[in-house]
Amino acid sequence: MPDNKKAAIDYVWNAISFPEAALLGKRVPKKQFLESGELVASDKKLFRENVKNVYWEYTLKPSTCPVLPYRDNEREYLEVAVLQVEMNSQKGHKRIAEIIHRIIPYPLMIGFYVGTTEHTEYTEKESINSVSSVSSVVNKSFALSIAPKRFSQTEQGAYVAERFYTTGWMHSGAFNDREAAFVASLAWDNMPLQTYGTLYNAWTDRFTGYECSVLSGSFTIGKAGDRLEQLTRCREIESRISELRGQLKKAAFNRQVELNTQIKKFEQELRQLAASL
Amino acid sequence: MEKMDGKTMDIVAENVGKLKELFPEAFTEGKVDFEALKEVLGTFVDDRDERYSFTWNGKSKARMIAQTPSTGALRPCKDESVDWDTTQNIFIEGDNLEVLKLLQKSYHKKVKMIYIDPPYNTGHDFVYKDNFKDNIKNYKEITGQVDGEGRNLSNNPETSGRYHTDWLNMMYPRLKLARNLLKDNGVIFISIDDTEVSNLRKISDEVFGEENFVAELVWKRRVSSAMADNNVSADHDYVICFQKGDLKDFKGFQKDFKRYSNPDNDPRGPWILDNLTVGMNASMRPNQAYDLVDPATGNVYPFNPNRVWAFIPESMDRMIKEGRIVFPKDTSKRPMQKRFRDELKSTHNPFSTLMMDRVGLNTEATRNIQELMGGNVFDYSKPLSLLTTLIPQVCNGNDVILDFFAGSSVTAHAAMKLNAEESGNRKFIMVQLPEACDEKSEAYKAGYKTISEIGKERIRRAAAKIKAENPEYQGDLGFKVFKLDSTNIKPWEVDFDMTERTLEDFISNIKTDRREEDVLYEVLLKYGLDLTLPITEHTIAGQKVFDIGMGALIICLSDAISLEVVEGIAKLKDELNPEIMRVVFKDSGFKDDVVKTNAVQILKQAGIIDVRSL
């Protein structure tokens, strides 16, 4: 039964194939996150209601897998923890990823999946029951997240997440080409394993590639730094567009025409940027 | 299918609406109850016969004229334009009163800065009388487009006895209309000289509000003239500046840090020595009148009873401890304070109302014109440096600048020049009357028949010059030309005398000598749309279909609308995928009512519900 439940997340861990010695499978009490004191009320509510369980699934460190720790003036990668988060629904996983990355000051990879217990009664007649087929899509979906962190310049011993990379939900049974290419690119055997720093940077390149692929439609790996600027611009345009769309309904006709013109121009720019990603 | 109404923005209705919002109790059955309104306003009503006011003959008429909607239209003129398809700049040839009315809806609160250089009313300049019955016809008579009764049009001599009155009647409605176009943080600059400066201040106080007066800037226009009548040489003009109400600040000028240095390697960075006293005497500031002692040497520096120290003793002690005070060896000299560049409250100096060293004289303006136009084709234009100084004070990179007494279009020239220098994207709207050039003038001899022709040519030449000086510059150096004319659409001309109407009039409501583009821009103005929106022309089943604002508005003015055209428009919606779509047809464009009904159905199926006719 548990195997059936977390098929989706196991799918991705299998695809990556971390060294077996790194498997830990230890449950982390939710309390630890909720009591960290940094959470605002709305985050606390989201976390309490939607996170079912958090597991420390793999611990990647020199004693469990032969990769060297890395440290320079800006950051350190002494080890990497791989967490898996069992959710009650797909809601709010990006925010939850940010919460976890902020609370745990170490380099992390997080895998999200949705638990199935509420829907077990449907599994036998899955193919004919539309409710269960929706839930089965949900149950076969996962999402991944990383966040490169560096030392805080203002506070000794503190860390700052430079950027959050969290994928959308991917259905392990029905990948599109770019999702399949992204997951395949994470395979452990293809990683530059000189240090945990090179590993994490390679992940960052691939997650950046994933974000670019959402816009451009195809997945390629490139240097994250070069693409990030364009990606940020794309995100800016996207948020400008949704802001303008928000104004549309209440606006007078002449303002609507203006808004439409601005939106279409942004969409053109977005398409051009996406094509060059 | 909803039929379009043909009025420009109805200012009276707007005002009534605003009043109703504020004082609903002052309205009974949709009309204003003045007694009730008076009660709401309490003691604020001043209805004594003798009260502070500024009035002249014709003031109420002038106010009324500002509120009558225009019956005009702006006809596009591609031949005289530059970069028609892409430019965001506009040049409108026509009477500025009508043009300001036509722009009310489309440019309501869109303009950041207005600069105007109206007639100074010196007796030799052109001040023409508005005709509040039919100002468009009046305009065409005055500009010689239609034969009129032959009035004295060319100037407003002192002898006419209505010297200031005519000028005020001309200015007042225009300022009122101009104010509506200003953004809430917008600013207006008005050039003027001694003749009307006091009247201009008064009507501006009234139109913009006394509290929105910003400054009366002084422009030195010449070096003293020996020809002065009474041996007093008036060498300056004014630029009156009012804000709409929400202007933050002028930008001022970046401070010059050349004098800052750091000879003692102070970790706080470069500094200069500054005065340690303030302009207060000992009786005004007894706390700051004390003998200052240098703790390092014991030297005593007595206070100056007419200029005491800038700080009370406690603050002074702290300043000394922090090493901010420099004591001279000679106790008869004054201690000074170090002022650090990094601690300055502002990196800018304020804009001085005396614009001496930044703005050139009239001779510069003459040189500007001569160099650019190859002759002295325009007298008394303003120097380019006046506008390149004023514009950056209030205008950011993307703002719209309006000049409705454009003259030689120096404002447009300055805007383009500044854009090129700092890769800005300011847009201009110039309005100029096609006032005839005097046949004896140099301009006339050079081939310019009207002032507006000079203005347009100046923009073209200035653009060429800017391009030549900055070959890499890719910015907007074009402009769209529009010309004021009467409306393109017949029913919009209110006329109760139906006897002269022919059968043809009833078949088509568009005047026969007008093109589809003319009507198109009239529709834009009536809908309150920006004249520089992107417009794409599609040909569907042999008919012209205009797509305005990237699919938001589709206009087909064809006389032969078939169902193929309508289906083509439905397809266009899929292609362009706009957020909203309104479709406008000509009412008489459908073959019959069956086609019309089917058209509405086809569009409805394509998800287009907003279908109108004119």
Side-chain angles (χ1 to χ4, degrees):
Chain A
M1 197 87 139
D3 287 350
N4 188 25
K5 265 196 246 171
K6 31 182 248 183
I9 197 69
D10 279 350
Y11 175 89
V12 72
W13 295 153
N14 281 337
I16 296 175
S17 303
F18 293 116
E20 268 177 45
L23 184 67
L24 187 65
K26 193 174 127 190
R27 196 162 154 265
V28 185
K30 262 168 80 178
K31 217 170 56 176
Q32 281 195 357
F33 295 96
L34 291 168
E35 287 173 0
S36 81
E38 289 168 31
L39 296 188
V40 295
S42 60
D43 283 346
K44 226 173 220 175
K45 182 166 180 276
L46 177 70
F47 198 95
R48 190 184 312 114
E49 288 177 1
N50 216 13
V51 173
K52 200 167 174 192
N53 282 303
V54 181
Y55 299 94
W56 186 355
E57 195 65 10
Y58 294 93
T59 170
L60 306 169
K61 53 184 176 186
S63 62
T64 61
C65 67
V67 178
L68 292 171
Y70 176 82
R71 190 189 165 94
D72 63 24
N73 291 333
E74 272 204 323
R75 60 193 82 227
E76 65 182 9
Y77 291 99
L78 305 179
E79 55 183 272
V80 178
V82 179
L83 304 186
Q84 68 182 41
V85 179
E86 185 182 10
M87 307 269 284
N88 287 322
S89 77
Q90 294 189 343
K91 195 185 133 210
H93 78 289
K94 291 195 176 181
R95 183 69 198 159
I96 290 167
E98 287 179 25
I99 294 169
I100 296 174
H101 281 304
R102 284 211 176 96
I103 290 175
I104 301 178
Y106 303 108
L108 303 176
M109 179 187 274
I110 309 172
F112 290 92
Y113 63 107
V114 177
T116 53
T117 39
E118 293 98 90
H119 300 296
T120 39
E121 66 266 32
Y122 294 117
T123 44
E124 283 105 46
K125 37 183 178 169
E126 199 168 78
S127 56
I128 48 162
N129 188 312
S130 66
V131 176
S132 77
S133 68
V134 168
S135 76
S136 88
V137 169
V138 169
N139 292 340
K140 282 185 181 153
S141 297
F142 65 89
L144 293 174
S145 176
I146 61 165
K149 293 164 193 173
R150 59 166 173 75
F151 301 131
S152 163
Q153 283 160 354
T154 48
E155 197 184 332
Q156 194 72 30
Y159 291 80
V160 183
E162 290 172 311
R163 200 173 191 286
F164 301 101
Y165 296 86
T166 306
T167 70
W169 290 95
M170 291 181 260
H171 182 353
S172 61
F175 278 144
N176 54 36
D177 289 350
R178 54 185 180 79
E179 288 168 348
F182 166 65
V183 172
S185 80
L186 294 172
W188 186 259
D189 289 345
N190 294 332
M191 288 292 141
L193 294 172
Q194 292 85 345
T195 70
Y196 286 114
T198 56
L199 171 68
Y200 213 89
N201 286 340
W203 282 352
T204 307
D205 292 342
R206 283 155 179 76
F207 274 75
T208 307
Y210 170 85
E211 285 195 19
C212 292
S213 77
V214 173
L215 293 163
S216 69
S218 67
F219 175 82
T220 54
I221 301 169
K223 276 261 174 282
D226 304 340
R227 308 167 87 179
L228 228 44
E229 205 176 308
Q230 275 173 297
L231 206 53
T232 312
R233 175 72 191 139
C234 287
R235 293 275 171 268
E236 254 171 48
I237 295 174
E238 281 173 343
S239 79
R240 284 286 294 143
I241 289 177
S242 71
E243 193 185 306
L244 294 175
R245 282 215 175 102
Q247 296 174 22
L248 207 69
K249 258 226 169 109
K250 279 194 217 142
F253 177 69
N254 55 353
R255 178 75 185 132
Q256 284 182 327
V257 176
E258 214 172 276
L259 288 169
N260 180 67
T261 311
Q262 284 171 9
I263 291 171
K264 292 291 145 196
K265 280 188 178 159
F266 275 132
E267 282 177 355
Q268 273 177 3
E269 193 185 340
L270 197 59
R271 271 198 297 277
Q272 274 166 11
L273 272 173
S276 69
L277 275 171
Chain B
M1 204 182 288
E2 198 173 318
K3 203 140 184 224
M4 178 172 171
D5 90 83
K7 289 269 164 62
T8 49
M9 196 161 112
D10 187 342
I11 295 171
V12 177
E14 281 267 303
N15 290 343
V16 172
K18 281 181 206 158
L19 196 63
K20 208 168 185 175
E21 215 170 274
L22 287 174
F23 310 113
E25 59 271 52
F27 282 80
T28 44
E29 297 186 322
K31 302 271 185 204
V32 183
D33 177 346
F34 268 98
E35 288 309 313
L37 187 62
K38 268 186 183 174
E39 277 165 28
V40 192
L41 297 172
T43 55
F44 256 78
V45 180
D46 190 350
D47 49 9
R48 291 165 299 176
D49 287 340
E50 212 175 30
R51 59 171 182 265
Y52 184 79
S53 66
F54 176 54
T55 189
W56 63 89
N57 185 299
K59 187 177 181 182
S60 355
K61 219 182 229 178
R63 194 181 283 137
M64 224 156 69
I65 231 171
Q67 297 186 342
T68 343
S70 173
T71 54
L74 298 178
R75 299 176 68 183
C77 188
K78 285 192 194 182
D79 299 347
E80 296 179 29
S81 307
V82 178
D83 299 336
W84 175 272
D85 289 329
T86 52
T87 185
Q88 302 284 304
N89 300 319
I90 296 175
F91 185 101
I92 303 169
E93 190 176 290
D95 165 24
N96 49 17
L97 179 72
E98 292 302 310
V99 173
L100 285 170
K101 284 182 188 176
L102 288 170
L103 298 182
Q104 289 292 302
K105 214 167 172 182
S106 295
Y107 290 90
H108 182 69
K109 289 193 181 187
K110 290 232 175 113
V111 174
K112 181 61 187 293
M113 168 176 164
I114 297 176
Y115 170 80
I116 49 171
D117 186 6
Y120 283 5
N121 204 19
T122 53
H124 309 291
D125 43 17
F126 183 94
V127 178
Y128 82 82
K129 297 178 190 76
D130 301 312
N131 175 331
F132 78 111
K133 271 200 216 117
D134 188 348
N135 205 35
I136 293 279
K137 199 167 150 223
N138 181 42
Y139 159 73
K140 289 174 116 180
E141 286 169 10
I142 284 164
T143 54
Q145 296 179 48
V146 171
D147 289 334
E149 295 151 26
R151 276 173 280 165
N152 178 12
L153 304 168
S154 57
N155 51 40
N156 185 32
E158 251 170 285
T159 52
S160 84
R162 297 189 50 190
Y163 183 60
H164 294 297
T165 302
D166 284 349
W167 189 85
L168 285 165
N169 281 331
M170 189 271 298
M171 285 303 284
Y172 188 70
R174 286 164 175 80
L175 288 181
K176 275 186 97 67
L177 288 163
R179 183 180 178 271
N180 297 336
L181 304 184
L182 278 179
K183 285 182 159 190
D184 288 335
N185 62 357
V187 181
I188 184 167
F189 294 96
I190 310 167
S191 274
I192 202 71
D193 79 353
D194 288 324
T195 321
E196 296 293 353
V197 65
S198 58
N199 287 331
L200 179 64
R201 277 289 292 273
K202 278 184 214 140
I203 54 169
S204 300
D205 276 347
E206 191 179 320
V207 172
F208 296 97
E210 215 175 320
E211 68 282 8
N212 289 319
F213 170 73
V214 178
E216 185 166 293
L217 309 174
V218 173
W219 169 52
K220 181 175 174 176
R221 63 187 173 93
R222 65 174 184 190
V223 289
S224 295
S225 161
M227 300 200 307
D229 288 346
N230 47 3
N231 217 20
V232 175
S233 176
D235 299 326
H236 66 279
D237 283 1
Y238 307 93
V239 181
I240 304 282
C241 174
F242 275 80
Q243 59 175 358
K244 176 87 169 275
D246 220 3
L247 173 71
K248 275 242 164 59
D249 283 312
F250 273 39
K251 292 219 174 60
F253 299 101
Q254 179 107 43
K255 277 181 182 158
D256 176 10
F257 295 115
K258 266 187 235 150
R259 282 170 49 235
Y260 285 76
S261 65
N262 196 355
D264 58 350
N265 270 326
D266 195 306
R268 287 165 290 197
W271 50 272
I272 49 167
L273 282 179
D274 200 4
N275 198 325
L276 191 53
T277 61
V278 288
M280 308 264 190
N281 63 37
S283 58
M284 291 160 81
R285 286 278 187 277
N287 286 348
Q288 286 156 241
Y290 53 88
D291 290 342
L292 183 55
V293 182
D294 178 0
T297 61
N299 286 346
V300 178
Y301 302 86
F303 67 91
N304 173 351
N306 295 319
R307 270 191 81 89
V308 296
W309 303 120
F311 305 99
I312 56 169
E314 294 77 41
S315 309
M316 190 67 92
D317 283 348
R318 202 185 59 236
M319 300 275 289
I320 295 170
K321 279 201 195 86
E322 289 174 10
R324 290 173 183 274
I325 308 297
V326 176
F327 293 97
K329 283 204 181 79
D330 180 350
T331 52
S332 70
K333 287 192 176 145
R334 302 275 78 190
M336 304 282 271
Q337 58 171 320
K338 278 177 160 182
R339 209 178 272 288
F340 295 95
R341 190 187 63 191
D342 294 349
E343 292 176 5
L344 288 176
K345 279 204 197 84
S346 155
T347 54
H348 286 70
N349 287 323
F351 185 91
S352 169
T353 54
L354 297 174
M355 302 183 291
M356 305 296 189
D357 34 355
R358 297 181 190 278
V359 178
L361 309 180
N362 221 331
T363 47
E364 184 208 304
T366 310
R367 209 169 48 244
N368 289 154
I369 291 279
Q370 255 165 359
E371 278 172 12
L372 197 63
M373 310 297 283
N376 201 4
V377 298
F378 195 92
D379 293 329
Y380 304 115
S381 76
K382 292 293 174 286
L384 195 55
S385 54
L386 175 64
L387 273 303
T388 52
T389 304
L390 293 179
I391 292 171
Q393 288 303 317
V394 296
C395 269
N396 290 321
N398 285 312
D399 289 331
V400 177
I401 305 169
L402 167 67
D403 183 344
F404 56 89
F405 283 99
S408 69
S409 291
V410 61
T411 309
H413 185 167
M416 291 192 298
K417 185 167 186 276
L418 289 166
N419 281 347
E421 278 167 9
E422 47 191 73
S423 43
N425 193 22
R426 299 182 187 90
K427 303 158 191 88
F428 63 76
I429 303 173
M430 298 291 114
V431 183
Q432 176 58 44
L433 190 74
E435 176 189 336
C437 294
D438 185 353
E439 285 183 28
K440 278 169 265 162
S441 69
E442 224 180 292
Y444 191 86
K445 284 172 205 152
Y448 300 107
K449 292 209 178 53
T450 64
I451 301 294
S452 53
E453 275 180 27
I454 300 175
K456 281 176 277 186
E457 184 59 18
R458 177 175 191 172
I459 304 176
R460 287 186 205 107
R461 293 195 184 201
K465 184 164 182 259
I466 289 165
K467 187 74 189 167
E469 285 166 2
N470 313 273
E472 302 292 304
Y473 181 61
Q474 294 295 317
D476 187 354
L477 291 171
F479 61 104
K480 280 181 155 84
V481 176
F482 293 91
K483 292 188 178 177
L484 177 69
D485 208 327
S486 55
T487 174
N488 299 293
I489 301 167
K490 286 172 199 163
W492 289 356
E493 281 188 305
V494 186
D495 188 0
F496 295 104
D497 180 14
M498 303 288 278
T499 50
E500 280 180 42
R501 302 192 112 188
T502 61
L503 183 63
E504 198 266 336
D505 279 345
F506 292 100
I507 296 168
S508 168
N509 53 354
I510 310 287
K511 288 178 187 164
T512 42
D513 60 337
R514 302 299 171 90
R515 298 160 302 154
E516 288 185 8
E517 280 84 357
D518 294 329
V519 183
L520 177 69
Y521 278 93
E522 182 159 2
V523 174
L524 291 194
L525 282 178
K526 308 281 166 179
Y527 279 156
L529 298 173
D530 194 316
L531 294 173
T532 59
L533 279 171
I535 298 181
T536 318
E537 196 182 310
H538 305 266
T539 306
I540 299 174
Q543 305 302 317
K544 266 192 210 169
V545 173
F546 298 98
D547 140 29
I548 296 116
M550 310 185 95
L553 175 61
I554 303 289
I555 300 184
C556 178
L557 299 165
S558 156
D559 283 321
I561 303 164
S562 60
L563 291 180
E564 283 87 54
V565 177
V566 178
E567 276 157 8
I569 291 174
K571 231 161 92 195
L572 208 56
K573 181 175 186 265
D574 283 346
E575 221 174 276
L576 301 168
N577 192 26
E579 308 288 322
I580 55 152
M581 191 185 254
R582 173 180 289 186
V583 179
V584 177
F585 294 108
K586 209 161 80 173
D587 205 31
S588 57
F590 295 101
K591 206 176 82 204
D592 52 44
D593 281 357
V594 180
V595 179
K596 195 167 160 183
T597 315
N598 284 341
V600 173
Q601 283 311 315
I602 290 170
L603 293 175
K604 203 172 189 177
Q605 272 169 18
I608 306 166
I609 298 145
D610 192 357
V611 182
R612 299 179 186 222
S613 69
L614 53 91

